[in-house]
Amino acid sequence: MSGSVFFLHMAGAVALLLWATRMVRTGVERAYGNILRQKLRKTLGNPVLAALTGMALAVALQSSTAVTLLVGSFAGLGIVTGLAGILAVRGAEVGSALVVKILSFDLTLLVPICLLVGTFIFLATERRQWRQMGRILVGIGLLILSLDMMGEASAPLRESTIVPLIVEYLSNDSITAFLLAAVVTYLFHSSIAAVLLLTTFAAQGIVSPELGIVMVLGVNLGSSFIAPMLTRGAPPAYRIVPQGNLLMRGAGSIVVLIIVVFFAPPLDMLGSTPENRIIHAHIVFNLLILFAGIPLSGLVLRATEALVALQTDASNQEVDGAAAVAETSALDDSALANPPQALANVTREAVKMCESIEYMLQRILELYEDADSRSIKAFAALDDEVDRRHAAIKLYLARITRNEMTEDMAKRCQDLLGVSVKLEQVGDILVRNMLPHVKKKMDRRVEFTDEGWRELSNFHAAVLANARLAFNLLVTQDPDTARELVKEKDDLREVEKETSQRHFERLRQGTEQSVETSSLHLDTIRDLKQINSLLATLAYPVLEERGLLSESRLKRL
């Protein structure tokens, strides 16, 4: 096999691995994301439970980075402490290492089973949760298949005359091997993929256990950079947990590398085969960092806070400029004479409105759980920003219409006006309807039943997912997305009926908590349904333009 053919096969296998991992993660997030977030919030107060929950989440999401970003957002919002967040991430890293171990077993038989069952479930039902379960199973099948593909692609390398020279060089230059693994992992954005690639090479006899362990340490360094880089533009509080993980895991990988290079500890205890030694070294390293992190977490937190504060101080001279950028509108007056460019500017401004609404919609349910006067006031201030952009868009569109426009441009102008109106209405519902529910719940000090809260959370998660579809549609104008959005509106109507029936059943049974929170429960469902209906109307212009919308209903294909 030529070098180019090898790289093509290996690149395809790695691409399938990354795609399959993403399929599993997004399927879990869509089907069970809200439940997982609730469990995480409840357990982060206990250091041991925080680590165990982080571990379980990493296994479920197939990504310690996803857990790091999630926990970092909780810390940024003040839902959890930075200390608990750092411990949860430590557990997540161990969970990610355990995923590699699970995937190292011979799971070939699961490939046809997962693909067959997953595809059947996905095609046989329209229920969101079941379809996501099918997506997860297909993702697992493709993930295992990608490992077989990597093994087959790498087999001819044993006969190569060049590869031994490269491996020999890396074996004699631990620093280069360490840094190369770190860079590759960062490019993959997945430590799981990087370690599995290493174990594949080790199983073929291409990479020795000694070199593999050095590169595994590099994998851990590269992986620890991903979350900090993704949050580098976030407020300081959001960066504490990712940078704390970088400080602990990154420094730990360098310390262990020094020990491995200078003391060459025996590897027999790590397993009898090269691939097992690499996998077990990965697990042992993360366990060591976890156990070291428990007593050192306070020190790491203080060091991280000092580091983030230093970064903030260093950028103080740019604060005014950054604030100006945040306030800068895309509505450039100089583009008014060019209607296509002006309409593109309006689209950009509408996207900013979407971002604000998405954050508000995501944040509102968190306020139901934990709110105070300061957070309520801050939430209400977000609507002022939405109103300001809405007013600016209306005035800008009115000024565009003074110029000659084609029929398509005039229609796009009207559609964008409708979008801004709908987004402003969603903001009003969140602040004028749902925020008073938060205040009422806080003043009365009542709590939903476990079942009632689960229903609200699932309903909210469905609306949030549909909102993201609507916001994407603003940019893509994709008819398939538009059809899905309208269909989800109909599905959510049935979910609302089922939820209301279950709520009234609890009332008939005389559940005290259900009686106390009945109006809050029903009003919240009603408001969320109204928000979903408003956002679903963003699909109508796209469908109408392509002749897919009848006068009152979506046409059947």
Side-chain angles (χ1 to χ4, degrees), residues 80-96:
V80 302
T81 65
L83 189 64
I86 288 175
L87 290 175
V89 172
R90 293 272 41 80
E93 302 294 358
V94 176
S96 178

Side-chain angles (χ1 to χ4, degrees), residues 162-181:
I162 299 176
V163 171
L165 298 176
I166 298 174
V167 171
E168 183 180 0
Y169 173 77
L170 292 176
S171 299
N172 295 323
D173 189 348
S174 298
I175 302 301
T176 300
F178 176 76
L179 294 177
L180 176 64

Side-chain angles (χ1 to χ4, degrees), residues 436-454:
H437 301 337
V438 171
K439 296 177 183 177
K440 186 184 297 184
K441 181 177 180 293
M442 183 176 68
D443 293 340
R444 294 181 180 178
R445 298 181 180 180
V446 295
E447 297 293 337
F448 294 102
T449 63
D450 290 342
E451 185 179 357
W453 179 247
R454 184 165 57 251

Side-chain angles (χ1 to χ4, degrees), residues 72-349:
S73 68
F74 286 169
L77 294 170
I79 297 173
V80 302
T81 65
L83 189 64
I86 288 175
L87 290 175
V89 172
R90 293 272 41 80
E93 302 294 358
V94 176
S96 178
L98 291 176
V99 170
V100 177
K101 179 61 180 177
I102 294 170
L103 294 175
S104 69
F105 295 117
D106 185 5
L107 305 174
T108 309
L109 185 61
L110 288 180
V111 173
I113 296 175
C114 289
L115 293 177
L116 181 62
V117 175
T119 302
F120 174 78
I121 292 175
F122 190 87
L123 297 177
T125 178
E126 296 297 329
R127 298 190 62 175
R128 174 190 291 270
Q129 197 157 1
W130 278 102
R131 285 173 68 88
Q132 295 310 323
M133 177 57 70
R135 179 188 181 92
I136 293 168
L137 289 174
V138 171
I140 292 173
L142 293 177
L143 197 157
I144 300 169
L145 179 62
S146 70
L147 300 180
D148 292 338
M149 289 175 61
M150 286 198 312
E152 293 177 4
S154 61
L157 290 182
R158 288 179 294 183
E159 310 300 326
S160 172
T161 57
I162 299 176
V163 171
L165 298 176
I166 298 174
V167 171
E168 183 180 0
Y169 173 77
L170 292 176
S171 299
N172 295 323
D173 189 348
S174 298
I175 302 301
T176 300
F178 176 76
L179 294 177
L180 176 64
V183 171
V184 170
T185 302
Y186 181 79
L187 294 176
F188 282 0
H189 268 41
S190 171
S191 61
I192 293 176
V195 177
L196 286 172
L197 186 60
L198 270 178
T199 57
T200 300
F201 288 161
Q204 299 290 351
I206 300 167
V207 172
S208 67
E210 291 78 10
L211 175 59
I213 290 173
V214 168
M215 298 189 77
V216 155
L217 296 174
V219 166
N220 282 276
L221 176 66
S223 178
S224 63
F225 271 99
I226 299 172
M229 292 302 292
L230 292 175
T231 57
R232 63 187 181 277
Y238 289 77
R239 305 201 304 265
I240 295 291
V241 170
Q243 293 201 18
N245 180 51
L246 171 61
L247 189 62
M248 187 177 292
R249 192 180 182 202
S253 65
I254 295 173
V255 170
V256 176
L257 174 67
I258 294 172
I259 294 173
V260 169
V261 171
F262 286 97
F263 297 97
L267 304 181
D268 296 342
M269 63 183 72
L270 293 176
S272 57
T273 62
E275 60 269 29
N276 278 338
R277 290 179 179 180
I278 292 173
I279 294 170
H280 294 161
H282 184 45
I283 296 173
V284 169
F285 170 78
N286 282 285
L287 284 173
L288 285 174
I289 300 300
L290 170 61
F291 293 140
I294 293 175
L296 295 176
S297 54
L299 178 62
V300 171
L301 177 62
R302 290 192 294 273
T304 305
E305 289 173 339
L307 179 62
V308 171
L310 187 64
Q311 294 169 351
T312 304
D313 291 340
S315 61
N316 274 345
Q317 57 184 335
E318 301 177 8
V319 168
D320 292 339
V325 170
E327 292 297 324
T328 297
S329 170
L331 306 178
D332 183 8
D333 289 346
S334 64
L336 286 170
N338 184 350
Q341 184 63 46
L343 289 174
N345 290 342
V346 175
T347 303
R348 288 169 53 202
E349 192 71 5

Side-chain angles (χ1 to χ4, degrees), residues 361 368 426 429-430 433-434 437 456 458-464 466-467 485 488-500 521-537 540:
L361 186 55
Y368 270 69
V426 171
I429 294 172
L430 288 166
N433 293 6
M434 298 188 71
H437 301 337
L456 282 180
N458 291 339
F459 199 85
H460 171 267
V463 174
L464 183 59
N466 291 343
L485 185 58
E488 290 291 345
K489 175 187 174 183
D490 293 338
D491 291 346
L492 202 68
R493 186 186 300 117
E494 297 303 317
V495 173
E496 186 252 347
K497 291 179 182 178
E498 295 173 4
T499 300
S500 298
H521 184 104
L522 295 175
D523 289 347
T524 299
I525 292 291
R526 179 204 62 202
D527 293 333
L528 288 172
K529 180 186 174 186
Q530 187 177 358
I531 288 172
N532 189 76
S533 297
L534 282 169
L535 294 174
T537 61
Y540 294 162

Side-chain angles (χ1 to χ4, degrees), residues 40 42-56 83-92 290-291 293-294 297:
L40 182 59
K42 292 178 181 178
T43 57
L44 282 179
N46 183 302
V48 176
L49 287 178
L52 291 174
T53 305
M55 186 186 305
L83 189 64
I86 288 175
L87 290 175
V89 172
R90 293 272 41 80
L290 170 61
F291 293 140
I294 293 175
S297 54

